Amino acid sequence: MKVDRESFKKLLKEKGLKMTRQRLVVLEVLAENPEQHLTAEEIYDRIKAANPDIGLATVYRTVQLLLELELIDRINLDDGFVRYEIGDMGGKHHHHRHHHLICLKCGKVSAFQEDMLEALESGVKEALGFQVTDHEVKLYGYCRDCSEKEKKQNQEEKI
Amino acid sequence: MKVDRESFKKLLKEKGLKMTRQRLVVLEVLAENPEQHLTAEEIYDRIKAANPDIGLATVYRTVQLLLELELIDRINLDDGFVRYEIGDMGGKHHHHRHHHLICLKCGKVSAFQEDMLEALESGVKEALGFQVTDHEVKLYGYCRDCSEKEKKQNQEEKI
DNA sequence: GTCCATGCAAATGATTTGCAGTATC
DNA sequence: GATACTGCAAATCATTTGCATGGAC
C-alpha cells in the first residue's frame, strides 16, 4: 500500500497540525506492512535504519495521532504490547474492523473479513437496545498448519 | 454465587497447591460480584476492609492462579487495566465466553449470551482451515439508556 | 517569526519478583 | 517439619511527559 503524501498533509492541516518527515515515515511503515500488527518498538526499529535520529517517544506520539485521524487501528493481543495496523483506508462502510484469528500454538495472527456479525449486531439491538457502532472480534484456536500437524502426529502415534 | 470451599480445596490439591484464606477470599469477591469486571486493585480494595493485612501482590498472584485453574476469565477494555470476572462455573460447552457490550458514552460494560457466533466459527473453519476453540467479542456502541437520551435530545433540538 | 513537533531523559503506573517470615498440610 | 504462600519493598517495562531545541509554514 502506498501513502498519498498530499492527502495526508491536507488531513493534518485541517486539524492545524504539521506534516513532518517522522509522521510520514511511521505511516509508511504501517502502510507497507499490512497485516503485520507491529508494536511501537517494532515500528521504531524499522525506521531507525534509514532515520537514525528518530526517537521512540515520537513513534508513540505519532501512533496516537494516526489513531485519532482513524488512519490506523489498534490491536491488543494481551501479550503486554499494543499493536497497530493500517486501516481499511478505502473505508467501505462505517469503520468495521478488528477481526483476528490467533493461533494458540504458533502464535500467528491473521485477519479475516466477515459480514456475518451484522446479524449478531441487529440481534443485540433488538434484544437489548444496544446500538453497535464498532466491534472487535478475536477467535482463538489452531491455524490450518498447526491443526494439520497435530492431525498427522496423532496418526503416527496410532501406528 | 457461592464458592464451594471443599471443591476449591480439592482442585488446588490436585495441583499440589495449598488452600489459603487469601485465595478463598479473592475467589469469593469475584464470585459475589459477577459481571463486575474488577481490576486487581479493585479486588484488593474490597478485601482490605475485612482483611487489612493482605498484600496487593498476593491478589495479582492469586488472580493468575485462578486464571490457570480456569475459574475466572480475563477481560481487557484497553483502559490500562486488566479485569477479571468469575467464569461460567457451570461450563455448558467448552469454555465459550467473553461477550461484552461497551458503551462509548457512559462506559458501562455489560455481557450477553449469544450462540450466533457458532455459525461464524464454522464458516472460518471451512474457508480458512482455522479451528476455533475460544473467542473474545467486544461490541462497541451506545447502550439503551444512552441512545434513548441521545434521541430525546435530538427531538428537543428540533423544537 | 510563530508555533508545533521532536529528542532526550526522567517520570509514571500497572504488574512482577526477591526474599525473609508465616501458614498449611 | 517441610514446603508452599504471603507481605513488603524493590525491580521491571511499556508508555507518557517536561523541557529545551529544531523544523514546518
Side-chain angles (χ1 to χ4, degrees), chain B residues 16-41:
Chain B
L17 303 170
K18 290 170 183 172
M19 149 105 140
T20 64
R21 186 173 49 79
Q22 290 88 332
R23 286 175 179 175
L24 186 60
V25 173
V26 169
L27 182 57
E28 279 176 348
V29 164
L30 287 166
E32 284 160 13
N33 297 279
E35 309 286 324
Q36 282 276 75
H37 321 98
L38 301 174
T39 66
E41 194 118 23

Side-chain angles (χ1 to χ4, degrees), chain A residues 8-37:
Chain A
F8 182 38
K9 192 167 179 174
K10 201 174 129 198
L11 193 58
L12 288 166
K13 196 170 205 169
E14 281 171 14
K15 313 234 172 189
L17 303 169
K18 290 171 183 171
M19 151 106 138
T20 64
R21 188 173 47 80
Q22 290 89 331
R23 287 177 177 169
L24 186 60
V25 173
V26 169
L27 182 57
E28 279 176 349
V29 165
L30 288 167
E32 283 161 15
N33 296 280
E35 308 286 324
Q36 282 276 76
H37 320 99

Side-chain angles (χ1 to χ4, degrees), chain A residues 5-151:
Chain A
R5 256 174 133 100
E6 285 314 310
S7 52
F8 182 38
K9 192 167 179 174
K10 201 174 129 198
L11 193 58
L12 288 166
K13 196 170 205 169
E14 281 171 14
K15 313 234 172 189
L17 303 169
K18 290 171 183 171
M19 151 106 138
T20 64
R21 188 173 47 80
Q22 290 89 331
R23 287 177 177 169
L24 186 60
V25 173
V26 169
L27 182 57
E28 279 176 349
V29 165
L30 288 167
E32 283 161 15
N33 296 280
E35 308 286 324
Q36 282 276 76
H37 320 99
L38 301 174
T39 67
E41 194 118 24
E42 285 167 349
I43 296 170
Y44 176 60
D45 287 342
R46 295 187 187 217
I47 289 175
K48 227 178 2 183
N51 308 60
D53 57 346
I54 196 173
L56 179 54
T58 300
V59 174
Y60 276 103
R61 280 186 282 231
T62 303
V63 134
Q64 295 269 59
L65 182 72
L66 297 177
L67 275 175
E68 280 159 30
L69 296 175
E70 298 193 28
L71 292 174
I72 64 175
D73 292 335
R74 174 210 310 254
I75 310 115
N76 195 327
L77 301 180
D78 291 320
D79 60 354
F81 303 88
V82 176
R83 292 159 183 284
Y84 305 91
E85 68 179 6
I86 194 87
D88 266 359
M89 297 302 254
K92 290 150 209 156
H93 5 36
H94 17 293
H95 29 120
H96 266 179
R97 37 201 156 94
H98 306 301
H99 300 56
H100 292 99
L101 301 172
I102 301 157
C103 182
L104 295 170
K105 195 150 195 183
C106 66
K108 194 173 69 183
V109 178
S110 40
F112 71 99
Q113 291 283 352
E114 191 50 72
D115 292 329
M116 208 169 294
L117 284 163
E118 288 178 10
L120 176 62
E121 290 178 5
S122 53
V124 167
K125 174 87 185 277
E126 274 168 38
L128 306 168
F130 191 100
Q131 182 165 5
V132 176
T133 61
D134 191 12
H135 51 232
E136 179 176 346
V137 177
K138 292 185 245 180
L139 301 182
Y140 296 92
Y142 300 96
C143 67
R144 192 195 299 269
D145 289 354
C146 287
S147 49
E148 279 174 5
K149 245 176 246 166
E150 184 92 4
K151 208 182 287 173

Side-chain angles (χ1 to χ4, degrees), chain B residues 30 33-38 85-86 99-100 109-113:
Chain B
L30 287 166
N33 297 279
E35 309 286 324
Q36 282 276 75
H37 321 98
L38 301 174
E85 67 179 6
I86 194 87
H99 299 54
H100 293 99
V109 178
S110 42
F112 71 98
Q113 292 285 351

